[in-house]
Amino acid sequence: MANFLAMFLVMEMILVSGFRSGASGLNMNYYLLSCPFAEPIVKNIVNRALQDDPTLAAGLVRMHFHDCFIEGCDGSVLIDSTKDNTAEKDSPANLSLRGYEIIDEIKEELETQCPGVVSCADILAMAARDAVFFAGGPVYDIPKGRRDGTRSKIEDTINLPSPIFNASELIKMFGQHGFSARDMVALSGAHTLGVARCSSFKNRLRPVDPSLDSEFAKTLSKTCSGGDSAEQPLDATRNDFDNMYFNALLSKNGLLTSDQTLYTSPQTRNIVNSYAMNQALFFLDFQQGMLKMSMLDVKQGSKGEVRTNCRKIN
Ligand code: HEM
Ligand SMILES: *[C@@H]1O[C@H](CO)[C@@H](O)[C@H](O)[C@H]1NC(C)=O
Ligand SMILES: *[C@@H]1O[C@H](CO)[C@@H](O)[C@H](O)[C@H]1NC(C)=O
């Protein structure tokens, strides 16, 4: 009898922990019954898209970050502008946001399988997670159940961090969203993927920023001779999720002011050193940071909707 009871309690614990994820009301198995193939569908489409164009992993990860930092993870970044509303997407801060077509394709497939069930915010959160994995980064699960928001305004994008921020400003802005300095540094490690345009780093070239390696400065000047939208990889392996980004910071090869400052500043230098030395530690902290980011101000119930088209409010 006692054994039976104990077993029952253990099962109960497994069920509760599996189905609920704290006060947020999101949970890991949200679509288990309503759309059982949601996760594999997202994974397959992301995988196929990245096989065609591996640079899109960066696009998906950055898009999820921008979504979550503005009005919470509610798919607001996906909304197109209309004649009465200029959406977040059309902010200068959207530069290089890429991967909208992948989200559209996933949404279309999910609407045929289980109409009106899977939110665009969840699709983006899952797609970013899968992109990290396919690029060679950590595997992690995130709870689902976000609802899509009904506001997307260009003026809200002032809440994104600027590439010319110093470590104190970054710590402050991430702190406002509940992140520690360590979370912020780990999340900045997303810059192991992708590129930035000259307009995002040319502030460091004239005069040459003393925290920028002089040879690297020459490379960047050459890139910028191609104009403001010329692209420079954020680390030496732009399609591989690894800790090269942190190693580059140690040799003054960080691309943005907001990258290099993490090493220049005594507030965050030890964290950079530890990730440069230990990729597994970076992966662990990164997945924890992403999990936390994926739950920023999520909307639930009547506070949101499930869009049928990720680009339009229903
Ligand atoms: C710490 C503060 C951050 C700042 C100031 C910042 C700023 C930027 C800037 C300016 C670019 C280049 C845009 C362009 O020139 O086209 C960029 C690219 C990127 N950012 Fe960040 N970012 C930050 C944090 C993050 C976080 C937390 C993530 C995700 C978790 C992220 C993911 C990315 C990715 C993947 C790219 C490359 C995009 C591509 O190649 O399409 N960033 N970021
Ligand atoms: C980003 O915003 C610019 C205007 O600042 C706009 O021309 C461009 O189409 C937008 N990019 C995307 C991908 O929406
Ligand atoms: C960081 O930037 C802020 C705002 O521009 C400035 O007040 C502060 O002194 C800077 N901190 C460092 C360490 O440079």
Side-chain angles (χ1 to χ4, degrees), residues 166 168-169 267:
N166 64 31
S168 320
E169 293 169 291
Q267 292 168 279

Side-chain angles (χ1 to χ4, degrees), residues 106-255:
I106 296 169
K107 183 64 186 176
E108 237 166 80
E109 179 62 27
L110 289 174
E111 284 301 298
T112 37
Q113 297 259 344
C114 12
V117 172
V118 185
S119 69
C120 298
D122 274 349
I123 292 174
L124 182 50
M126 290 188 274
R129 173 202 60 190
D130 294 342
V132 167
F133 166 68
F134 288 122
V139 190
Y140 57 95
D141 199 5
I142 46 162
K144 273 74 63 180
R146 296 163 191 76
R147 308 268 293 171
D148 295 325
T150 52
R151 173 192 170 98
S152 177
K153 300 220 172 270
I154 186 169
E155 56 267 29
D156 296 339
T157 55
I158 54 162
N159 297 321
L160 287 168
S162 153
I164 64 170
F165 272 5
N166 64 31
S168 320
E169 293 169 291
L170 292 170
I171 289 170
K172 184 165 168 231
M173 180 171 260
F174 277 74
Q176 285 161 353
H177 291 281
F179 294 103
S180 64
R182 191 184 174 96
D183 292 329
M184 183 273 290
V185 176
L187 286 170
S188 295
H191 288 177
T192 179
L193 296 176
V195 295
R197 279 139 225 262
C198 175
S199 54
S200 303
F201 56 81
K202 67 178 178 186
N203 64 300
R204 307 184 66 200
L205 298 177
R206 262 189 244 161
V208 173
D209 177 345
S211 71
L212 177 62
D213 173 76
S214 57
E215 281 306 306
F216 192 45
K218 285 182 198 154
T219 307
L220 301 189
S221 293
K222 205 177 283 167
T223 299
C224 285
S225 66
D228 266 2
S229 56
E231 292 176 351
Q232 177 72 33
L234 282 153
D235 80 352
T237 53
R238 61 176 285 186
N239 295 329
D240 298 332
F241 197 100
D242 53 26
N243 67 343
M244 291 289 278
Y245 165 82
F246 294 107
N247 282 294
L249 300 184
L250 268 50
S251 53
K252 298 175 141 193
N253 277 259
L255 183 54

Side-chain angles (χ1 to χ4, degrees), residues 1-306:
M1 183 63 194
N3 268 343
F4 181 77
L5 237 170
M7 212 171 81
F8 182 80
L9 277 174
V10 168
M11 274 177 57
E12 176 85 4
M13 263 161 55
I14 291 170
L15 276 172
V16 169
S17 65
F19 280 84
R20 269 192 215 101
S21 171
S24 76
L26 301 187
N27 72 61
M28 294 296 182
N29 303 305
Y30 193 80
Y31 297 116
L32 190 63
L33 303 174
S34 57
C35 196
F37 297 113
E39 298 258 1
I41 286 170
V42 173
K43 214 170 233 91
N44 281 336
I45 296 179
V46 170
N47 187 19
R48 198 160 7 95
L50 297 186
Q51 276 171 5
D52 285 351
D53 181 359
T55 71
L56 286 175
L60 289 170
V61 174
R62 182 164 191 238
M63 193 146 63
H64 177 49
F65 163 51
H66 283 209
D67 187 29
C68 295
F69 258 56
I70 305 168
E71 292 272 307
C73 314
D74 66 348
S76 55
V77 72
L78 301 167
I79 302 267
D80 281 344
S81 292
T82 60
K83 68 178 195 320
D84 308 317
N85 182 51
T86 307
E88 289 167 23
K89 228 187 226 186
D90 284 319
S91 149
N94 79 2
L95 271 171
S96 89
L97 280 190
R98 297 170 316 121
Y100 293 108
E101 301 73 22
I102 304 178
I103 304 301
D104 290 339
E105 189 186 341
I106 296 169
K107 183 64 186 176
E108 237 166 80
E109 179 62 27
L110 289 174
E111 284 301 298
T112 37
Q113 297 259 344
C114 12
V117 172
V118 185
S119 69
C120 298
D122 274 349
I123 292 174
L124 182 50
M126 290 188 274
R129 173 202 60 190
D130 294 342
V132 167
F133 166 68
F134 288 122
V139 190
Y140 57 95
D141 199 5
I142 46 162
K144 273 74 63 180
R146 296 163 191 76
R147 308 268 293 171
D148 295 325
T150 52
R151 173 192 170 98
S152 177
K153 300 220 172 270
I154 186 169
E155 56 267 29
D156 296 339
T157 55
I158 54 162
N159 297 321
L160 287 168
S162 153
I164 64 170
F165 272 5
N166 64 31
S168 320
E169 293 169 291
L170 292 170
I171 289 170
K172 184 165 168 231
M173 180 171 260
F174 277 74
Q176 285 161 353
H177 291 281
F179 294 103
S180 64
R182 191 184 174 96
D183 292 329
M184 183 273 290
V185 176
L187 286 170
S188 295
H191 288 177
T192 179
L193 296 176
V195 295
R197 279 139 225 262
C198 175
S199 54
S200 303
F201 56 81
K202 67 178 178 186
N203 64 300
R204 307 184 66 200
L205 298 177
R206 262 189 244 161
V208 173
D209 177 345
S211 71
L212 177 62
D213 173 76
S214 57
E215 281 306 306
F216 192 45
K218 285 182 198 154
T219 307
L220 301 189
S221 293
K222 205 177 283 167
T223 299
C224 285
S225 66
D228 266 2
S229 56
E231 292 176 351
Q232 177 72 33
L234 282 153
D235 80 352
T237 53
R238 61 176 285 186
N239 295 329
D240 298 332
F241 197 100
D242 53 26
N243 67 343
M244 291 289 278
Y245 165 82
F246 294 107
N247 282 294
L249 300 184
L250 268 50
S251 53
K252 298 175 141 193
N253 277 259
L255 183 54
L256 309 173
T257 300
S258 60
D259 295 323
Q260 195 59 50
T261 187
L262 301 178
Y263 189 68
T264 312
S265 165
Q267 292 168 279
T268 46
R269 181 178 305 150
N270 288 339
I271 311 171
V272 171
N273 274 323
S274 69
Y275 294 157
M277 226 153 41
N278 185 345
Q279 178 168 277
L281 181 65
F282 162 49
F283 279 17
L284 190 69
D285 286 357
F286 182 78
Q287 49 179 295
Q288 280 170 6
M290 286 295 274
L291 178 68
K292 203 158 157 183
M293 191 176 90
S294 84
M295 313 234 278
L296 280 181
D297 300 319
V298 294
K299 298 189 169 55
Q300 298 205 280
S302 60
K303 289 214 184 102
E305 59 181 23
V306 172

